[in-house]
Amino acid sequence: MKVALVHDWLTGMRGGEKVLEALCEIFPEAHLFTLFHIPGSVSSEIEERPIKTTFVQKLPFVKKHYRLYLPLFPMAAESLDLSGYDLIISTSHCAAKGIITPPGAFHVSYIFTPMRYIWDKFDDYFGDRFWLKKRALGLVCHYLRAWDSASSRRVDAFIAISDYIAERVKKYYGRDSTVVNPPVDCARFSMTRAEPEDFYLCLSAFAPYKRIDLAVEALTATGARLKVVGTGQDEKRIRSLAGANVEFLGHASDDVVADLYSRCRALIFPGEEDFGIVPLEAMASGRPVIAYGKGGVLETIVPLFKSQGVLERKRRPTGVFFYDQSVRGLVEAVRTFEDHEKKFSPMALREHALKFDTPLFKKKFKETVLSMYNDYHSGKGICSKNTANYLKTSSL
């Protein structure tokens, strides 16, 4: 069975690329396709295989300003030649799921989210502070929405990263999804300290919808120490909001991040996320999370309170939610956490994170995809013995 992996683009090791890395390990002989690739920006597991790109690779300034080429991404995705492949797996939050596949090929899309830029997050990415981008891209949004919806019908099966995303796939595409949560590499993290140090941690790209500004303003207001890891388009504005108690660390290596997780009092996670691997990485390090109570975190965090003012007693809590996405709401959540900090067990936090560990993901994802592939070809009356052989010969 000849397998192809299709990813939106390769510019850094974020959550989607960590998923792709796991898929490269599940399907070690798969060929990799992407719209464009910045060499050296992703892990060796991804870099070491042949990577086929599109004409976007040769466009000027693509490294820093690729979002300006968004109107061209549908054409680029459709230009990929996937002839000769039996199983095609796209990992997509933008255009990868819109590929055109050859007759007889089975296309399963592991979808991180329907395209945020053009649906419910347009103002967050291209708001008033980015008025030129907003005006230019607003002119083509109708076309992009029509393409995104129409191209979803080419996908044979969707796998969503969370129930939250499965609902969005249903809303925007009218399609059902199977849910397989993405992997968390728990082996990278450990509980190295019995007691945390006196600082909070925020780890994220500086995109507007991530709401790092809330974390910076709220912790500046409380006076508590905050270490911020990340870079991005909103960095200049966010730095201008910080008090002397906020320290910006920029990009950090995996080892530095793991060390920061293990030493912090708690992770601050102020944005609405589709799933949220970062909170689970903190939990794998034995540290709780203070998170905005909307989106994928509702499926991964056990809240301190099961309802207004009522403590959760049946399960060990892993975090505190705030539901008012404001500085005041986050400040109140931090104070609540500090009042109940001793209720969080590092061991219980890690045990919870292990439910999402990478080996479990690999097993479930592979079984799900190959079962879908088998059912697809069985329905067409095509012998699928090669699937059984693949299961026997391919190791996880």
Side-chain angles (χ1 to χ4, degrees):
M1 179 166 59
K2 196 173 180 182
V3 181
L5 302 176
V6 185
H7 194 68
D8 286 314
W9 49 78
L10 298 171
T11 61
M13 283 301 294
R14 293 173 286 273
E17 288 69 43
K18 291 176 182 177
V19 169
L20 178 63
E21 184 179 55
L23 297 190
C24 288
E25 294 169 357
I26 297 171
F27 302 100
E29 296 181 0
H31 295 170
L32 180 56
F33 296 79
T34 188
L35 271 63
F36 59 96
H37 167 224
I38 298 174
S41 64
V42 290
S43 70
S44 58
E45 181 67 36
I46 298 172
E47 294 276 0
E48 68 186 11
R49 64 189 57 223
I51 299 173
K52 298 182 181 180
T53 60
T54 70
F55 64 85
V56 177
Q57 183 77 25
K58 298 180 180 180
L59 295 176
F61 313 114
V62 70
K63 183 176 181 179
K64 291 186 177 180
H65 302 292
Y66 61 86
R67 287 189 180 92
L68 294 178
Y69 294 119
L70 181 61
L72 300 179
F73 288 177
M75 185 189 307
E78 292 179 350
S79 74
L80 289 168
D81 183 5
L82 295 158
S83 302
Y85 292 94
D86 304 299
L87 171 62
I88 301 168
I89 303 169
S90 63
T91 47
S92 181
H93 73 278
C94 187
K97 67 117 180 69
I99 54 176
I100 297 176
T101 57
F106 179 66
H107 175 200
V108 56
S109 179
Y110 190 42
I111 189 157
F112 304 139
T113 178
M115 206 187 303
R116 297 188 196 100
Y117 312 106
I118 60 170
W119 295 109
D120 55 338
K121 296 291 184 183
F122 182 79
D123 285 335
D124 288 333
Y125 277 95
F126 308 110
D128 293 337
R129 289 180 294 106
F130 307 102
W131 64 271
L132 184 60
K133 291 181 182 179
K134 182 176 181 180
R135 197 161 188 180
L137 292 173
L139 297 174
V140 296
C141 252
H142 178 72
Y143 149 70
L144 289 170
R145 289 184 186 121
W147 177 84
D148 193 44
S149 179
S151 65
S152 70
R153 295 193 286 273
R154 301 175 195 160
V155 177
D156 294 304
F158 279 103
I159 301 177
I161 63 171
S162 63
D163 291 329
Y164 174 64
I165 291 304
E167 291 173 2
R168 297 186 73 235
V169 170
K170 186 71 171 180
K171 177 179 180 180
Y172 293 118
Y173 301 155
R175 299 286 302 275
D176 292 326
S177 308
T178 300
V179 175
V180 177
N181 296 136
V184 180
D185 187 4
C186 294
R188 277 183 50 213
F189 310 101
S190 61
M191 300 179 295
T192 57
R193 293 171 182 264
E195 294 294 331
E197 295 182 19
D198 189 21
F199 72 88
Y200 292 92
L201 178 66
C202 189
L203 175 69
S204 175
F206 285 17
Y209 83 97
K210 299 284 190 178
R211 298 309 311 269
I212 308 305
D213 56 330
L214 279 187
V216 169
E217 289 190 86
L219 273 294
T220 295
T222 67
R225 291 175 61 204
L226 174 67
K227 294 180 184 288
V228 183
V229 176
T231 59
Q233 67 190 98
D234 214 21
E235 184 171 352
K236 184 177 180 180
R237 183 182 73 88
I238 290 172
R239 283 180 176 269
S240 72
L241 303 172
N245 59 311
V246 179
E247 181 182 1
F248 292 90
L249 302 177
H251 174 76
S253 68
D254 286 349
D255 289 343
V256 170
V257 168
D259 178 61
L260 288 167
Y261 277 139
S262 71
R263 294 191 288 120
C264 71
R265 291 180 71 175
L267 175 78
I268 308 292
F269 199 70
E272 179 186 345
E273 285 288 350
D274 305 318
F275 177 71
I277 290 176
V278 166
L280 285 163
E281 290 180 344
M283 289 181 239
S285 307
R287 299 305 179 210
V289 182
I290 302 170
Y292 176 49
K294 189 175 181 181
V297 294
L298 296 177
E299 302 169 43
T300 60
I301 294 176
V302 179
L304 179 67
F305 296 102
K306 64 180 180 181
S307 60
Q308 189 67 32
V310 179
L311 288 170
E312 173 63 70
R313 299 192 185 280
K314 292 184 179 180
R315 299 181 295 169
R316 300 300 294 269
T318 65
V320 173
F321 286 140
F322 64 99
Y323 301 96
D324 174 15
Q325 197 180 30
S326 67
V327 172
R328 179 180 177 180
L330 180 49
V331 167
E332 290 177 354
V334 170
R335 288 173 177 160
T336 298
F337 166 75
E338 291 178 349
D339 289 341
H340 299 277
E341 191 168 359
K342 296 299 182 182
K343 290 184 170 66
F344 295 94
S345 161
M347 185 60 70
L349 285 158
R350 182 165 176 82
E351 288 175 356
H352 179 75
L354 287 170
K355 298 174 184 176
F356 302 87
D357 203 3
T358 298
L360 297 177
F361 164 80
K362 289 181 180 180
K363 183 175 186 297
K364 185 173 182 180
F365 187 88
K366 186 172 183 179
E367 289 176 349
T368 300
V369 168
L370 295 181
S371 176
M372 288 176 167
Y373 177 87
N374 218 20
D375 290 345
Y376 172 80
H377 282 303
S378 295
K380 291 180 174 291
I382 298 173
C383 179
S384 54
K385 288 182 179 178
N386 58 338
T387 309
N389 291 335
Y390 198 89
L391 276 166
K392 291 177 181 177
T393 59
S394 178
S395 60
L396 289 177

